[in-house]
Every structure is written in C-alpha cells, then in structure tokens.
Amino acid sequence: MTSHSHRGKFITFEGLDGCGKSTQLGKLAAALRSQGMIVVETREPGGTQAAEKIRQLLLNSRTSPLAPNTELALMFAARVQHIEQIIAPALEAGKIVLCDRFTDSSEAYQGGGRKLGSKPVLELHRILCGDLQPNLTILMDSDVVASVRRARRRNKAQAESASNHASDEGRFEKENRAFFERVREAYLTIARREPRRVKLVDARGTISQTHKKILELVQKTLKPAK
Ligand code: TMP
C-alpha cells in the first residue's frame, strides 16, 4: 500500500526522546476530533498486543545488549504487525492515523545512531511494509541535551512509581550524547531528502506555539487537492 492507494491520511511524529512529540500528538488528535474527524492514535514500537510485547523487550533497560541488527529486525517485526492490524485497516476505512514514530525512527536510531546506515532500513521497509509512506511527517527538532535529560527524568519517575520493572523504558536513554547527535543528524538528512513529506518543526517554543505550527501543516495536508 502506498500513501495514495488508501482513503485515509497517515501522519507520523518523529524526533528525539523527550522532544514533546507525544504531547503534541495528543493535542492534534483532540483538535481534529473537535472538527468532527475520526482519528486513531497509535505508537511504535507498539500499537498491538504482540508489538507492545516486542516494545517491552526493546526498551527495557534490563534487556541484555542487543546486536544492532537484532534491534532493527525487532523494530520491523513490531511494525509489520502494527501495519497489518491497525494502520492499514484504519486508512482503508478513511480514518486519520496519528502515529508516534514510524520507519524514520529506524533510519535515525538504527541507521544513524547504531551506524547501520539507511540502506538496510529502506530495503526492509520496501520488502516488509510495502513501502507505505506517511502523507505527512512532523519532525520535531529539539536540543539534544535538554531532550534526553527530559526523557531520562520521565523514565526514572515512571520506573520508580511502578511496583515491577515492566514499565522501565530506559534502554535507549542510556546512550551517550554522540549517539543522539547521530540520530538528530540522520533525521535532518531525511528531511532534506524528502521535503514534501517531512516538515521540520522547531520544538523549542511553548507547547501551544508548537501546536499551532503543527495544526497549520496538518490542515494543508488534509485540504482536498484541487
Ligand atoms: P518513545 O515511545 O518514548 O518515543 O520511545 C521509543 C524508543 O524506541 C525511542 O528511544 C526510539 C526508539 N526507536 C528506535 O530506535 N527505532 C524505531 O524504529 C522506533 C519506532 C523507536
């Protein structure tokens, strides 16, 4: 399925851990629903029962080191299930799908951060995901140090408030600054390569300033083509 072969709209959010994309996704969903649209909110890795289990394995900081290709394969295993069960049916039904991360995350984190390069990621996407492309990708650009600090703080608080370790999602946040610099660079390279799909939004402003910018971009994408 390509972005043109379905009736719905597929909008993805991307950015560094702690950049505020989940908050923005929730605000956008509320705004679109208030205009009468049918919106599905989902996330990667995750979104289905099996993919959420893969998420736990991937993100729990107690998971022993994973080879970069294992990490990549698991991200795609979760993604294929998510597309089959949630994304494709919703798009075929004409709904708006808002997804917190998609294949650009694999290209940025495994391709850039883990140094696997873009090629295997794009090839796996073509083979396993039918090259499904979002209609719009909001790339929230933020400061590396501040974002990762925020993500670590949030994860620590979540892990401490839970009675078991299942909610610990800190494996990536243990990475060093150089890793996240590579992730950010890879994201910016994707945005330069695909300027029609990927829109860069400066995430350093207030929540409502950023929301306004995102809403404008989304309204343009949702406007029927003349
Ligand atoms: P998040 O749900 O808080 O954004 O965390 C998901 C983490 O998983 C984040 O550190 C990015 C990472 N990730 C990848 O490395 N590759 C991927 O393909 C996806 C979807 C996420």
Side-chain angles (χ1 to χ4, degrees):
M1 183 162 55
T2 67
S3 57
H4 303 295
S5 65
H6 53 74
R7 294 192 298 125
K9 293 283 180 202
F10 184 28
I11 300 173
T12 59
F13 278 72
E14 295 286 352
L16 294 173
D17 306 70
C19 70
K21 68 189 160 36
S22 308
T23 305
Q24 290 299 334
L25 189 150
K27 282 182 77 69
L28 176 64
L32 297 179
R33 285 191 185 117
S34 76
Q35 296 172 19
M37 297 180 209
I38 303 176
V39 177
V40 173
E41 287 174 74
T42 188
R43 69 171 180 182
E44 289 207 347
T48 75
Q49 206 181 26
E52 288 290 333
K53 284 191 179 162
I54 299 174
R55 177 185 179 95
Q56 243 180 46
L57 176 66
L58 276 164
L59 302 192
N60 197 289
S61 58
R62 295 185 152 201
T63 299
S64 57
L66 291 174
N69 274 323
T70 307
E71 202 174 88
L72 181 63
L74 287 171
M75 292 293 178
F76 270 99
R79 180 163 302 127
V80 171
Q81 196 59 33
H82 189 211
I83 292 173
E84 290 274 325
Q85 250 181 284
I86 306 289
I87 300 176
L91 292 176
E92 274 153 25
K95 295 176 187 169
I96 297 174
V97 177
L98 302 184
C99 189
D100 192 337
R101 300 193 180 280
F102 192 57
T103 297
D104 294 323
S105 280
S106 300
E107 196 175 345
Y109 282 76
Q110 283 67 53
R114 300 279 189 232
K115 301 185 179 173
L116 291 176
S118 293
K119 200 164 172 252
V121 180
L122 298 178
E123 284 193 14
L124 283 170
H125 188 66
R126 186 175 50 77
I127 296 164
L128 298 174
C129 307
D131 210 26
L132 173 65
Q133 297 294 329
N135 298 92
L136 172 68
T137 296
I138 305 288
L139 172 53
M140 293 184 47
D141 190 33
S142 60
D143 178 70
V144 170
V145 174
S147 297
V148 177
R149 195 183 295 141
R150 195 173 330 133
R152 283 187 186 133
R153 219 185 295 130
R154 182 183 52 200
N155 186 57
K156 193 161 170 259
Q158 270 169 9
E160 278 170 5
S161 69
S163 53
N164 58 40
H165 292 276
S167 68
D168 162 18
E169 293 195 336
R171 203 171 66 84
F172 280 94
E173 283 131 33
K174 283 178 163 174
E175 293 301 328
N176 60 23
R177 181 172 172 174
F179 174 89
F180 288 103
E181 296 281 2
R182 288 197 297 279
V183 172
R184 180 166 177 266
E185 265 319 303
Y187 268 136
L188 295 176
T189 303
I190 299 170
R192 281 193 293 271
R193 183 183 72 208
E194 294 178 59
R196 280 174 63 89
R197 170 176 70 87
V198 183
K199 302 295 177 196
L200 201 62
V201 171
D202 187 346
R204 296 173 191 88
T206 65
I207 289 177
S208 60
Q209 281 166 343
T210 307
H211 172 62
K212 202 161 160 258
K213 286 185 219 161
I214 291 174
L215 199 54
E216 275 169 25
L217 289 167
V218 170
Q219 304 285 24
K220 272 190 212 155
T221 299
L222 296 181
K223 235 195 293 176
K226 285 189 189 136

